[in-house]
Every structure is written in C-alpha cells, then in structure tokens.
Amino acid sequence: HTVETLEHPDGVHFSLVAKFPIHTDCGETPFIGGIGIDITDRIRMEQQLKASQERLQVLTDKLEQLVEERTHELVQSRDELRGLATELNLTEQRE
C-alpha cells in the first residue's frame, strides 16, 4: 500500500494504491495488479484541518498572552489601590 500523487490540469490528485503479484499456473509472476482509490478530497480536508488547528493554536497563544498581561495589569492596579487606601487610613488616623 502506498499513496501516489498525480499531476492533473486542475492540480495534484492523491490515490491510495495497493499493488499485488499475479501468478500464473507455473508459479511465475509475470504481472503486477493494482487498485487505486482517489483520496484527494480526504487529503485536502486533512490539510485544511491541520491548517485550521495551527491557526487556532496561534489564536489561543495570543489570547493566553493577553489574559496574562491583563491579569498583571489588574494585580498592579489592585496593589496601587491598596497602597492608596493604606495612605488614606494613615492620613485619617493622624488627623
């Protein structure tokens, strides 16, 4: 079994090919038989799926980076607010 590619006017086509010997009554093998199944659609769909998965991974990585950056910003803002609240409490206590 093998996958063979063939050039066609509309692009490359893929076939799953099985080859086998054909024996004569004498036990010789003068011929080779074969069966081919066009799997072009399947191969193209697999390629599209792989490309989609790669694009999804890129988007996922970007989203994770944005979430991480935003979380860092929020933590900084929280810490600044706590600092301001502490200063305000100390100022009120002095007065």
Side-chain angles (χ1 to χ4, degrees):
H1 292 103
T2 187
V3 175
E4 294 182 358
T5 57
L6 299 168
E7 290 286 336
H8 284 257
D10 65 340
V12 176
H13 285 245
F14 300 89
S15 294
L16 178 61
V17 177
K19 296 179 182 177
F20 49 88
I22 298 176
H23 302 283
T24 64
D25 292 339
C26 305
E28 297 175 354
T29 310
F31 304 104
I32 295 179
I35 298 174
I37 300 170
D38 185 353
I39 58 169
T40 302
D41 290 341
R42 185 187 96 190
I43 295 293
R44 289 183 181 157
M45 290 172 113
E46 288 172 354
Q47 291 170 339
Q48 290 173 355
L49 177 60
K50 183 178 178 183
S52 293
Q53 289 171 331
E54 290 170 355
R55 285 192 304 273
L56 179 61
Q57 186 61 51
V58 168
L59 292 174
T60 300
D61 292 346
K62 285 181 181 179
L63 181 59
E64 287 175 355
Q65 181 182 357
L66 290 172
V67 167
E68 191 174 306
E69 290 171 2
R70 184 64 179 138
T71 300
H72 180 71
E73 291 170 2
L74 289 171
V75 167
Q76 282 183 320
S77 295
R78 179 200 63 196
D79 293 344
E80 288 174 13
L81 287 172
R82 284 182 177 166
L84 290 172
T86 301
E87 287 179 29
L88 182 61
N89 286 336
L90 291 175
T91 302
E92 288 176 354
Q93 289 174 1
R94 285 184 208 143
E95 292 177 355

